[in-house]
Structures are given as C-alpha cells and as structure tokens.
Coordinates of all heavy atoms in Angstrom, one line a residue:
L1 N 1.5 15.2 2.6 CA 1.9 14.1 1.8 C 0.7 13.4 1.2 O -0.3 13.3 1.9 CB 2.8 13.1 2.7 CG 4.1 13.5 3.1 CD1 4.8 12.5 4.0 CD2 5.0 13.9 2.0
L2 N 0.9 12.6 0.1 CA -0.1 11.9 -0.5 C 0.4 10.4 -0.7 O 1.4 10.2 -1.1 CB -0.5 12.4 -1.7 CG -1.0 13.9 -1.9 CD1 -1.2 14.2 -3.4 CD2 -2.4 13.9 -1.3
Y3 N -0.3 9.6 0.0 CA -0.2 8.1 -0.2 C -1.3 7.6 -1.4 O -2.5 7.9 -1.1 CB -0.4 7.3 1.0 CG 0.6 7.6 1.9 CD1 0.5 8.6 3.0 CD2 2.0 7.1 2.0 CE1 1.4 8.9 3.8 CE2 2.9 7.4 3.0 CZ 2.7 8.3 3.7 OH 3.7 8.7 4.7
V4 N -0.8 7.0 -2.3 CA -1.7 6.6 -3.5 C -1.6 5.0 -3.7 O -0.6 4.5 -3.6 CB -1.2 7.2 -4.8 CG1 -2.0 6.9 -5.9 CG2 -1.2 8.8 -4.6
A5 N -2.9 4.5 -3.9 CA -3.1 3.2 -4.1 C -3.7 2.9 -5.5 O -4.9 3.2 -5.7 CB -4.0 2.6 -3.1
N6 N -2.9 2.8 -6.4 CA -3.3 2.6 -7.9 C -2.3 1.5 -8.4 O -1.6 1.7 -9.4 CB -3.2 3.8 -8.6 CG -3.8 3.8 -10.0 OD1 -4.6 2.8 -10.2 ND2 -3.5 4.7 -10.9
G7 N -2.5 0.2 -7.9 CA -1.4 -0.7 -8.4 C -0.3 -0.7 -7.4 O -0.3 -1.1 -6.3
P8 N 0.8 0.0 -7.9 CA 1.9 0.1 -7.0 C 1.6 1.2 -5.9 O 0.8 2.1 -6.1 CB 3.1 0.9 -7.8 CG 2.5 0.8 -9.2 CD 1.0 0.5 -9.2
I9 N 2.2 1.0 -4.7 CA 2.1 2.0 -3.6 C 3.0 3.1 -3.9 O 4.1 2.8 -4.1 CB 2.2 1.4 -2.3 CG1 1.3 0.2 -2.1 CG2 2.2 2.4 -1.2 CD1 1.4 -0.5 -0.8
T10 N 2.5 4.4 -3.9 CA 3.4 5.6 -4.1 C 3.1 6.6 -3.0 O 2.0 6.6 -2.3 CB 3.2 6.2 -5.4 OG1 2.0 6.6 -5.6 CG2 3.4 5.2 -6.6
V11 N 4.2 7.4 -2.8 CA 4.1 8.5 -1.8 C 4.7 9.7 -2.5 O 5.6 9.6 -3.3 CB 4.7 8.2 -0.4 CG1 6.2 7.9 -0.7 CG2 4.6 9.4 0.5
Q12 N 4.2 11.0 -2.3 CA 4.6 12.1 -2.8 C 4.2 13.2 -2.0 O 3.4 13.2 -1.1 CB 4.0 12.4 -4.3 CG 2.6 12.6 -4.3 CD 2.0 12.7 -5.6 OE1 1.9 11.6 -6.4 NE2 1.6 13.8 -6.2
D13 N 5.2 14.3 -2.0 CA 5.0 15.5 -1.4 C 4.8 16.6 -2.4 O 5.5 17.1 -3.1 CB 6.2 15.8 -0.5 CG 6.0 17.2 0.3 OD1 5.1 17.8 0.2 OD2 6.9 17.3 1.3
P14 N 3.4 17.1 -2.6 CA 3.0 17.9 -3.5 C 3.6 19.4 -3.3 O 3.8 20.2 -4.2 CB 1.6 18.0 -3.5 CG 1.2 17.4 -2.2 CD 2.2 16.5 -1.9
R15 N 4.1 19.6 -2.0 CA 4.7 20.9 -1.8 C 6.1 21.1 -2.2 O 6.7 22.1 -2.3 CB 4.6 21.2 -0.2 CG 3.1 21.4 0.3 CD 3.2 21.4 1.8 NE 3.6 20.2 2.3 CZ 3.8 19.8 3.6 NH1 3.7 20.6 4.5 NH2 4.2 18.6 3.9
K16 N 6.6 19.9 -2.5 CA 8.0 19.8 -3.1 C 8.0 19.7 -4.5 O 7.3 20.4 -5.3 CB 8.9 18.7 -2.5 CG 9.1 19.1 -0.9 CD 10.2 18.2 -0.3 CE 10.3 18.7 1.1 NZ 11.1 17.7 1.9
N17 N 8.5 18.7 -5.2 CA 8.5 18.4 -6.6 C 7.2 17.7 -7.1 O 6.9 17.7 -8.2 CB 9.7 17.7 -7.1 CG 9.8 16.3 -6.6 OD1 9.0 15.8 -6.0 ND2 11.0 15.6 -6.8
G18 N 6.4 17.0 -6.1 CA 5.1 16.3 -6.4 C 5.4 15.1 -7.3 O 4.5 14.6 -7.6
S19 N 6.6 14.7 -7.5 CA 6.9 13.4 -8.2 C 6.6 12.3 -7.4 O 7.1 12.3 -6.2 CB 8.2 13.4 -8.7 OG 8.4 14.3 -9.7
P20 N 5.7 11.3 -7.8 CA 5.5 10.1 -7.0 C 6.8 9.2 -6.8 O 7.5 8.9 -7.7 CB 4.4 9.4 -7.7 CG 4.5 9.9 -9.0 CD 5.1 11.1 -9.0
T21 N 7.0 8.6 -5.6 CA 8.0 7.8 -5.4 C 7.4 6.3 -5.1 O 6.5 6.2 -4.2 CB 8.9 8.0 -4.2 OG1 9.5 9.4 -4.5 CG2 9.9 7.1 -3.9
V22 N 7.8 5.2 -5.8 CA 7.2 3.9 -5.5 C 7.8 3.4 -4.3 O 9.0 3.5 -4.0 CB 7.5 2.9 -6.7 CG1 7.0 1.6 -6.3 CG2 6.8 3.5 -8.0
V23 N 7.0 2.9 -3.3 CA 7.2 2.4 -2.0 C 7.8 0.8 -2.2 O 6.9 0.0 -2.7 CB 6.2 2.3 -1.1 CG1 6.5 1.6 0.1 CG2 5.7 3.8 -0.8
T24 N 8.9 0.6 -2.3 CA 9.5 -0.7 -2.6 C 9.3 -1.7 -1.5 O 9.8 -2.8 -1.7 CB 11.0 -0.6 -2.9 OG1 11.8 0.0 -1.9 CG2 11.1 0.3 -4.2
T25 N 9.0 -1.3 -0.3 CA 8.9 -2.2 0.9 C 7.6 -3.2 0.8 O 7.3 -4.0 1.6 CB 8.9 -1.6 2.2 OG1 7.9 -0.6 2.2 CG2 10.2 -0.9 2.4
A26 N 6.7 -2.8 -0.1 CA 5.5 -3.6 -0.2 C 5.9 -5.0 -0.8 O 6.7 -5.2 -1.6 CB 4.5 -3.0 -1.2
P27 N 5.1 -6.0 -0.4 CA 5.4 -7.3 -0.9 C 5.3 -7.5 -2.5 O 4.5 -6.8 -3.1 CB 4.3 -8.3 -0.3 CG 3.8 -7.5 0.9 CD 4.0 -6.0 0.6
D28 N 6.1 -8.3 -3.0 CA 6.0 -8.4 -4.5 C 4.7 -9.0 -4.9 O 4.2 -9.9 -4.2 CB 7.2 -9.5 -5.0 CG 8.5 -8.9 -4.9 OD1 8.6 -7.7 -4.9 OD2 9.5 -9.7 -4.8
G29 N 4.1 -8.5 -6.0 CA 2.8 -9.0 -6.3 C 1.6 -8.4 -5.8 O 0.4 -8.6 -6.2
F30 N 1.8 -7.5 -4.8 CA 0.6 -6.8 -4.2 C 0.3 -5.6 -5.0 O 1.1 -4.7 -5.5 CB 1.0 -6.3 -2.9 CG -0.2 -5.7 -2.2 CD1 -1.2 -6.4 -1.6 CD2 -0.1 -4.3 -2.0 CE1 -2.3 -5.7 -0.9 CE2 -1.2 -3.6 -1.2 CZ -2.2 -4.3 -0.7
E31 N -1.0 -5.5 -5.4 CA -1.6 -4.3 -6.1 C -2.6 -3.7 -5.2 O -3.5 -4.2 -4.8 CB -2.3 -4.9 -7.5 CG -1.3 -5.5 -8.5 CD -2.2 -5.8 -9.7 OE1 -2.7 -4.9 -10.2 OE2 -2.4 -7.0 -9.9
A32 N -2.1 -2.4 -4.8 CA -2.9 -1.6 -4.0 C -4.2 -1.0 -4.6 O -4.1 -0.5 -5.8 CB -2.2 -0.5 -3.4
L33 N -5.3 -1.0 -4.0 CA -6.6 -0.4 -4.6 C -7.3 0.6 -3.7 O -8.0 1.4 -4.2 CB -7.6 -1.6 -4.9 CG -7.2 -2.8 -5.7 CD1 -8.2 -3.8 -5.7 CD2 -6.9 -2.3 -7.0
A34 N -6.9 0.6 -2.4 CA -7.5 1.6 -1.3 C -6.5 2.0 -0.3 O -5.6 1.1 0.0 CB -8.7 1.0 -0.8
V35 N -6.5 3.2 0.3 CA -5.5 3.4 1.3 C -6.3 4.3 2.4 O -7.1 4.9 2.2 CB -4.3 4.2 0.8 CG1 -4.8 5.5 0.1 CG2 -3.4 4.5 1.9
D36 N -5.9 4.0 3.6 CA -6.3 4.7 4.9 C -5.1 5.2 5.6 O -4.3 4.2 5.9 CB -7.3 4.0 5.6 CG -7.9 4.8 6.6 OD1 -8.1 5.9 6.5 OD2 -8.4 4.3 7.7
V37 N -5.0 6.2 6.1 CA -3.8 6.7 7.0 C -4.3 7.0 8.3 O -5.3 7.7 8.6 CB -3.1 7.9 6.2 CG1 -2.0 8.4 7.2 CG2 -2.7 7.6 4.8
N38 N -3.7 6.5 9.4 CA -3.9 6.8 10.8 C -2.7 7.6 11.2 O -1.6 6.9 11.6 CB -4.1 5.6 11.6 CG -4.5 5.8 12.9 OD1 -4.0 6.9 13.6 ND2 -5.2 4.9 13.6
S39 N -2.7 8.9 11.2 CA -1.5 9.7 11.5 C -1.2 9.6 12.9 O 0.0 9.7 13.4 CB -1.6 11.1 11.1 OG -2.8 11.7 11.7
E40 N -2.1 9.4 13.8 CA -1.9 9.2 15.4 C -1.0 8.1 15.7 O -0.2 8.0 16.5 CB -3.2 9.2 16.1 CG -3.9 10.4 16.1 CD -5.3 10.4 16.9 OE1 -5.4 9.4 17.6 OE2 -6.1 11.3 16.8
R41 N -1.1 6.9 15.0 CA -0.5 5.7 15.0 C 0.8 5.6 14.0 O 1.5 4.6 14.1 CB -1.3 4.5 14.9 CG -2.3 4.4 16.1 CD -3.1 3.2 16.2 NE -3.9 3.0 17.1 CZ -4.7 1.9 17.6 NH1 -4.6 0.9 16.8 NH2 -5.5 2.0 18.5
S42 N 0.9 6.5 13.1 CA 1.9 6.5 12.1 C 1.7 5.2 11.3 O 3.0 4.7 11.1 CB 3.3 6.7 12.8 OG 3.5 7.9 13.4
V43 N 0.6 4.9 10.8 CA 0.6 3.7 10.0 C -0.4 4.2 8.7 O -1.3 5.1 8.8 CB -0.1 2.4 10.5 CG1 0.8 2.0 11.6 CG2 -1.4 2.7 11.1
A44 N -0.2 3.5 7.7 CA -1.0 3.5 6.5 C -1.3 2.1 6.0 O -0.4 1.2 6.1 CB -0.2 4.2 5.3
V45 N -2.5 1.9 5.9 CA -3.0 0.5 5.6 C -3.6 0.6 4.1 O -4.4 1.3 3.8 CB -4.3 0.1 6.6 CG1 -4.8 -1.2 6.1 CG2 -3.7 0.2 8.0
F46 N -3.1 -0.3 3.3 CA -3.5 -0.5 2.0 C -4.2 -1.7 1.7 O -3.7 -2.9 2.0 CB -2.2 -0.4 1.0 CG -1.4 0.9 1.0 CD1 -0.5 1.2 2.0 CD2 -1.7 1.7 0.0 CE1 0.1 2.4 2.0 CE2 -1.0 3.1 0.1 CZ -0.1 3.3 1.0
G47 N -5.4 -1.6 1.1 CA -6.2 -2.8 0.8 C -5.9 -3.1 -0.7 O -5.7 -2.2 -1.5
G48 N -6.0 -4.4 -1.1 CA -5.6 -4.7 -2.6 C -5.8 -6.2 -2.9 O -6.4 -6.8 -2.1
V49 N -5.2 -6.6 -3.9 CA -5.2 -8.0 -4.3 C -3.6 -8.3 -4.5 O -2.8 -7.6 -4.6 CB -5.8 -8.2 -5.6 CG1 -7.5 -7.9 -5.5 CG2 -5.2 -7.3 -6.8
I50 N -3.5 -9.7 -4.4 CA -2.1 -10.4 -4.6 C -2.4 -11.6 -5.5 O -3.5 -12.1 -5.6 CB -1.5 -10.7 -3.3 CG1 0.0 -11.0 -3.3 CG2 -2.3 -11.7 -2.4 CD1 0.8 -10.9 -2.2
D51 N -1.4 -12.1 -5.9 CA -1.5 -13.4 -6.8 C -2.3 -13.1 -8.0 O -3.2 -14.0 -8.2 CB -1.9 -14.6 -6.0 CG -1.0 -14.9 -4.8 OD1 0.1 -14.8 -5.0 OD2 -1.5 -15.5 -3.7
D52 N -2.1 -12.0 -8.7 CA -2.8 -11.7 -9.9 C -4.2 -11.6 -9.7 O -5.1 -12.1 -10.6 CB -2.4 -12.8 -11.0 CG -1.0 -12.6 -11.6 OD1 -0.6 -11.4 -11.6 OD2 -0.5 -13.7 -11.9
G53 N -4.6 -11.1 -8.6 CA -6.0 -11.0 -8.3 C -6.8 -12.1 -7.6 O -7.9 -12.0 -7.4
E54 N -6.1 -13.2 -7.4 CA -6.7 -14.4 -6.9 C -7.1 -14.2 -5.4 O -8.0 -14.9 -4.9 CB -5.8 -15.6 -6.9 CG -5.7 -16.1 -8.4 CD -4.8 -17.3 -8.6 OE1 -4.8 -18.0 -7.6 OE2 -4.3 -17.6 -9.6
S55 N -6.4 -13.4 -4.6 CA -6.7 -13.1 -3.0 C -6.7 -11.7 -2.9 O -5.9 -10.8 -3.4 CB -5.6 -13.8 -2.4 OG -5.5 -15.3 -2.5
S56 N -7.5 -11.3 -1.9 CA -7.7 -10.0 -1.3 C -6.6 -9.9 0.0 O -6.5 -11.0 0.7 CB -9.1 -9.7 -0.9 OG -9.8 -9.6 -1.9
A57 N -6.0 -8.8 0.1 CA -5.1 -8.6 1.4 C -5.0 -7.3 1.7 O -5.5 -6.3 1.0 CB -3.7 -9.2 0.8
Y58 N -4.4 -7.0 2.8 CA -4.1 -5.6 3.2 C -2.7 -5.6 3.7 O -2.1 -6.6 4.2 CB -4.9 -5.0 4.4 CG -5.1 -5.6 5.6 CD1 -4.2 -5.2 6.6 CD2 -6.1 -6.7 5.9 CE1 -4.3 -5.9 7.8 CE2 -6.2 -7.2 7.1 CZ -5.3 -6.9 8.2 OH -5.3 -7.4 9.3
V59 N -1.9 -4.5 3.5 CA -0.6 -4.3 3.9 C -0.6 -3.1 4.8 O -1.2 -2.0 4.6 CB 0.2 -4.0 2.6 CG1 1.6 -3.5 3.0 CG2 0.4 -5.2 1.8
V60 N 0.1 -3.1 5.9 CA 0.3 -2.0 6.9 C 1.7 -1.6 6.7 O 2.6 -2.4 6.8 CB 0.1 -2.7 8.4 CG1 0.4 -1.5 9.4 CG2 -1.4 -3.2 8.4
L61 N 1.9 -0.3 6.6 CA 3.1 0.3 6.6 C 3.4 1.3 7.8 O 2.5 2.0 8.0 CB 3.4 1.1 5.2 CG 3.3 0.2 3.9 CD1 3.6 1.2 2.7 CD2 4.3 -0.9 3.9
D62 N 4.6 1.3 8.3 CA 4.9 2.3 9.3 C 5.3 3.6 8.6 O 6.2 3.5 7.8 CB 6.0 1.7 10.2 CG 6.5 2.6 11.2 OD1 6.3 3.9 11.1 OD2 7.1 2.2 12.3
I63 N 4.6 4.7 9.0 CA 4.9 5.9 8.1 C 5.6 6.9 9.1 O 5.5 8.2 9.0 CB 3.8 6.5 7.4 CG1 2.6 6.7 8.4 CG2 3.3 5.6 6.2 CD1 1.4 7.5 7.8
S64 N 6.4 6.4 10.2 CA 7.1 7.2 11.0 C 8.0 8.3 10.2 O 8.3 9.5 10.6 CB 7.8 6.6 12.0 OG 7.0 5.7 12.8
D65 N 8.5 7.6 9.2 CA 9.4 8.4 8.1 C 8.5 8.4 7.0 O 8.5 7.6 6.2 CB 10.7 7.7 7.9 CG 11.5 8.6 6.8 OD1 11.1 9.5 6.4 OD2 12.8 8.2 6.7
P66 N 7.8 9.6 6.8 CA 6.6 9.6 5.8 C 7.0 9.3 4.4 O 6.3 8.7 3.6 CB 6.0 11.0 6.0 CG 6.5 11.4 7.4 CD 7.7 10.8 7.6
L67 N 8.2 9.8 4.0 CA 8.6 9.6 2.6 C 9.4 8.2 2.4 O 9.8 8.0 1.3 CB 9.5 10.7 2.1 CG 8.6 12.1 1.9 CD1 9.6 13.2 1.5 CD2 7.6 11.8 0.8
A68 N 9.5 7.5 3.5 CA 10.3 6.2 3.3 C 9.6 5.3 4.3 O 10.1 4.7 5.3 CB 11.8 6.4 3.7
P69 N 8.3 4.9 3.9 CA 7.6 3.9 4.8 C 8.3 2.5 4.8 O 8.8 2.1 3.9 CB 6.2 3.9 4.1 CG 6.2 4.8 3.0 CD 7.6 5.3 2.9
S70 N 8.0 1.9 6.0 CA 8.6 0.5 6.2 C 7.4 -0.5 6.3 O 6.5 -0.1 7.0 CB 9.6 0.5 7.4 OG 9.0 0.8 8.6
F71 N 7.7 -1.6 5.9 CA 6.6 -2.7 5.9 C 6.5 -3.2 7.3 O 7.4 -3.4 8.0 CB 7.2 -3.8 5.0 CG 6.3 -5.1 5.0 CD1 5.1 -5.1 4.3 CD2 6.6 -6.3 5.8 CE1 4.4 -6.2 4.3 CE2 5.9 -7.4 5.7 CZ 4.7 -7.3 5.0
V72 N 5.3 -3.3 7.8 CA 5.0 -3.9 9.2 C 4.4 -5.3 8.9 O 5.0 -6.2 9.4 CB 3.9 -3.0 9.9 CG1 3.5 -3.7 11.1 CG2 4.5 -1.7 10.0
N73 N 3.4 -5.5 8.2 CA 2.8 -6.9 8.0 C 1.8 -6.8 6.7 O 1.4 -5.8 6.2 CB 2.2 -7.5 9.1 CG 0.8 -6.9 9.5 OD1 0.5 -5.9 9.0 ND2 0.3 -7.4 10.5
M74 N 1.5 -8.2 6.3 CA 0.4 -8.2 5.3 C -0.5 -9.4 5.8 O 0.0 -10.4 6.2 CB 1.0 -8.8 3.8 CG 0.1 -8.8 2.9 SD 0.6 -9.2 1.3 CE 1.1 -11.0 1.4
Q75 N -1.8 -9.1 5.5 CA -2.7 -10.3 5.9 C -3.6 -10.5 4.7 O -4.2 -9.6 4.2 CB -3.6 -9.7 7.1 CG -4.5 -10.6 7.5 CD -4.0 -11.8 8.2 OE1 -3.1 -11.7 9.1 NE2 -4.4 -13.0 7.9
V76 N -3.6 -11.9 4.2 CA -4.4 -12.3 3.2 C -5.8 -12.6 3.9 O -6.0 -13.2 5.0 CB -3.8 -13.5 2.6 CG1 -4.9 -14.0 1.4 CG2 -2.5 -13.1 1.9
V77 N -6.9 -11.9 3.4 CA -8.2 -11.9 4.0 C -9.1 -12.8 3.2 O -10.2 -13.1 3.7 CB -8.7 -10.6 4.2 CG1 -7.9 -9.7 5.3 CG2 -8.8 -9.7 3.0
G78 N -8.8 -13.2 2.0 CA -9.8 -14.1 1.3 C -9.4 -14.4 -0.1 O -8.6 -13.6 -0.8
R79 N -9.9 -15.5 -0.7 CA -9.6 -15.8 -2.1 C -10.8 -15.2 -2.9 O -12.0 -15.2 -2.5 CB -9.7 -17.3 -2.3 CG -8.4 -17.7 -1.6 CD -7.9 -19.2 -2.1 NE -8.1 -19.5 -3.5 CZ -7.1 -19.2 -4.3 NH1 -6.1 -18.6 -4.1 NH2 -7.3 -19.4 -5.7
N80 N -10.5 -14.7 -4.1 CA -11.5 -14.0 -4.9 C -12.2 -14.9 -6.0 O -13.0 -14.4 -6.8 CB -10.9 -12.8 -5.6 CG -10.3 -11.8 -4.7 OD1 -11.0 -11.6 -3.5 ND2 -9.3 -11.1 -4.9
G81 N -11.7 -16.1 -6.2 CA -12.3 -17.0 -7.1 C -11.9 -16.6 -8.6 O -12.5 -17.0 -9.5
R82 N -10.7 -15.9 -8.6 CA -10.3 -15.4 -10.1 C -9.1 -16.2 -10.3 O -8.4 -16.7 -9.5 CB -10.0 -14.0 -10.0 CG -11.2 -13.1 -9.5 CD -10.9 -11.7 -9.5 NE -11.0 -11.1 -10.7 CZ -10.7 -9.8 -11.0 NH1 -10.2 -9.1 -10.0 NH2 -10.9 -9.2 -12.1
N83 N -8.8 -16.5 -11.6 CA -7.9 -17.2 -12.1 C -6.8 -16.5 -12.9 O -6.7 -16.4 -14.1 CB -8.2 -18.5 -12.9 CG -9.1 -19.5 -12.1 OD1 -8.6 -19.8 -11.0 ND2 -10.1 -20.0 -12.6
G84 N -6.0 -15.7 -12.0 CA -5.0 -14.8 -12.7 C -5.4 -13.8 -13.6 O -4.8 -13.4 -14.5
S85 N -6.7 -13.2 -13.4 CA -7.0 -12.2 -14.3 C -6.7 -10.8 -13.8 O -7.3 -9.7 -14.4 CB -8.6 -12.2 -14.5 OG -9.3 -12.3 -13.2
G86 N -5.9 -10.5 -12.7 CA -5.6 -9.2 -12.3 C -6.7 -8.5 -11.7 O -7.7 -9.1 -11.3
R87 N -6.5 -7.2 -11.3 CA -7.6 -6.5 -10.9 C -8.8 -6.1 -11.7 O -9.0 -6.1 -12.6 CB -7.1 -5.1 -10.2 CG -5.9 -4.8 -10.5 CD -5.5 -3.5 -9.7 NE -4.5 -2.7 -10.5 CZ -4.5 -1.5 -10.7 NH1 -5.2 -0.7 -10.2 NH2 -3.5 -1.0 -11.4

C-alpha cells in the first residue's frame, strides 16, 4: 500500500486498481506534507500544516485496516508566522 502526503492524505493499493482514496478521517484544514509508516505499531504519522499554513502539526492514523485508516490524534507543534498563505 502507498500512503501519500500531498495536501490531502490518500491511500492506494497499486496491485489493485491503483486509484488513490482520500482519507476522510483527517482533521478539516490539515494539509499533509510528509508521511512515515510504522507497520509494527500499525500507525501512519503525517506531518503538515493547518489553519492555512499558520501552524505546523502532525496527525496519527491507525492503519490496522490499511485501506480505511482511523484518526488517533493530532498535535499542533508550532506556529509558522504565516498569515493564511497556505503551504
């Protein structure tokens, strides 16, 4: 499976149809920029921005069901000093 961080969080299975599915359990306004998967703990951690780029945050998803991840938590880690300029 591929987890993609390019604004929306998506997941796809290239062995099947390969079409990306947007993960709807991510918080509104979160734009993913990076992803790391820990398969031993069944989690995917997405780093990104929220509030139109004003703050940095990370989102943790439970990937026990890989094609239907569920939201675990989000942590805002800092303000970026931007005024709604997006990523």
Side-chain angles (χ1 to χ4, degrees):
L1 292 176
L2 297 172
Y3 294 93
V4 179
N6 189 18
I9 296 173
T10 61
V11 60
Q12 65 189 73
D13 186 346
R15 294 173 294 173
K16 293 188 178 177
N17 66 9
S19 297
T21 301
V22 174
V23 176
T24 59
T25 58
D28 288 339
F30 179 77
E31 295 182 64
L33 303 173
V35 61
D36 187 35
V37 175
N38 184 328
S39 56
E40 290 180 12
R41 293 188 176 184
S42 296
V43 296
V45 180
F46 292 84
V49 295
I50 196 157
D51 299 329
D52 291 322
E54 290 185 23
S55 297
S56 298
Y58 64 87
V59 169
V60 179
L61 299 179
D62 179 335
I63 57 171
S64 297
D65 183 353
L67 289 173
S70 58
F71 178 77
V72 175
N73 71 352
M74 180 177 78
Q75 180 68 46
V76 175
V77 294
R79 294 197 39 86
N80 297 325
R82 302 171 92 180
N83 293 322
S85 54
R87 3 181 210 149

